[in-house]
């Protein structure tokens, strides 16, 4: 039996964004639970599980798209962490953001770099904590 869109999406979300992705879905439960379900089913169940791009490539595209939109710092932080989770280096994330400068301008790129800095610092702190 084939997994449902929600099951496939939940697996992809967990693999990419871990607790951060689930926290976004959970934060919508009291006000817009359908939105959370749509994110899981469509974005992660239908789009992220397609063939043709691997998860690293998908995260780079997503980061570029979020930088281009501007005013997406919370989503950008989740996807930068997701990029690290799927094996992208911090340098690759920074380069993807810098690539946007000629197309979207310095203010959006500076804002995105600052989001990346925060994620990288948090990621370094988490990796330095002793495991239980």
């Amino acid at each position: 039996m084939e997994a449902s869109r929600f099951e496939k999406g939940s697996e992809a979300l967990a693999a990419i964004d871990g607790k951060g992705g689930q926290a976004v879905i959970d934060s919508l439960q009291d006000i817009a639970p359908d939105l959370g379900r749509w994110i899981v089913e469509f974005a992660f169940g239908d789009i992220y599980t397609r063939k043709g791009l691997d998860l690293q490539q998908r995260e780079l595209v997503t980061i570029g798209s979020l930088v281009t939109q501007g005013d997406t710092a919370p989503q950008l932080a989740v996807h930068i962490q997701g990029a690290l989770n799927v094996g992208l280096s911090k340098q690759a994330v920074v380069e993807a953001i810098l690539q946007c400068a000629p197309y979207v301008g310095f203010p959006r790129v500076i804002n995105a770099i600052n989001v990346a800095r925060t994620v990288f610092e948090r990621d370094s702190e988490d990796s330095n904590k002793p495991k239980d």
Side-chain angles (χ1 to χ4, degrees), residues 3 9 26 30 48 74 90 95 115 130:
D26 292 346
D30 66 331
Y48 269 86
K90 292 175 183 177
E95 288 299 323
V115 171

Side-chain angles (χ1 to χ4, degrees), residues 93-114:
V93 170
V94 168
E95 288 299 323
I97 295 169
L98 294 177
Q99 179 66 29
C100 297
Y103 305 100
V104 303
F106 287 100
R108 286 186 176 168
V109 169
I110 291 167
N111 291 342
I113 287 294
N114 285 326

Side-chain angles (χ1 to χ4, degrees), residues 13-14 16-27 74 78 81 85:
L13 178 65
I16 298 162
D17 293 325
K19 292 177 184 177
Q22 189 59 51
V24 171
I25 304 306
D26 292 346
S27 74
V78 168
Q81 185 61 60
N85 292 346

